[in-house]
Amino acid sequence: MKFPRHYRLLRGPFDMAPYATVAFLLVIFLMLGGLIYTPGVVIRPPRADGLPGTDQPTVAMAVDAEGRLYFANQMVTEDQLKTALAGAARKAREPLTLVIHADRTVTYGQLIRLTLLARDAGITNALLATLPRSVNLPPEP
């Protein structure tokens, strides 16, 4: 049997080459997207289970391993932190709770100093943020 010249064997009405090219490019972009630098502060909080939380409004701050303070995604000094916490306490309708995201190497004295600073700013409650324990994680050093 002789086929006409315009007839294509094994070709449907759609050409799959452009679709395969787009799919390949998407895979490449997703793989390269994982290599992009994401700015931020590395904080390794301690692990604990069953700690109580709060149902009150919260305000959060962070302390890294070097003792630098962060509030509202900005590095701040203690005076700036006290001013910002006082402003947040004035704007709040209910009493605020300070949530401290601290690295596990932060000393107890630094945490006490932060809670006293928050108390002077008008925030009476403070909580330490922790990670839940996981079965598959290696033990902490």
Side-chain angles (χ1 to χ4, degrees):
M1 171 179 207
K2 188 172 180 181
F3 295 108
R5 288 215 175 262
H6 68 293
Y7 190 82
R8 298 181 191 175
L9 286 176
L10 303 174
R11 305 263 332 238
F14 296 109
D15 191 13
M16 291 303 293
Y19 296 110
T21 303
V22 169
F24 181 67
L25 287 174
L26 284 174
V27 168
I28 289 174
F29 288 140
L30 290 175
M31 289 174 59
L32 292 177
L35 300 176
I36 295 174
Y37 173 72
T38 305
V41 178
V42 177
I43 294 179
R44 299 174 300 138
R47 296 186 193 128
D49 280 332
L51 295 177
T54 183
D55 57 353
Q56 296 179 342
T58 61
V59 62
M61 56 96 42
V63 183
D64 65 4
E66 283 81 34
R68 294 180 292 230
L69 305 174
Y70 299 91
F71 183 78
N73 295 326
Q74 299 290 324
M75 188 169 18
V76 295
T77 63
E78 283 190 21
D79 293 332
Q80 292 171 336
L81 179 63
K82 186 175 180 180
T83 304
L85 290 178
R90 276 193 307 272
K91 291 178 187 175
R93 295 182 198 171
E94 298 179 39
L96 288 176
T97 300
L98 178 65
V99 179
I100 302 172
H101 296 269
D103 194 88
R104 67 179 80 144
T105 60
V106 173
T107 64
Y108 185 70
Q110 290 171 316
L111 295 174
I112 294 298
R113 190 175 74 240
L114 290 174
T115 56
L116 292 175
L117 186 128
R119 186 184 66 183
D120 293 342
I123 300 174
T124 56
N125 297 328
L127 295 176
L128 298 176
T130 61
L131 290 176
R133 290 192 189 273
S134 178
V135 177
N136 297 333
L137 292 175
E140 294 181 6

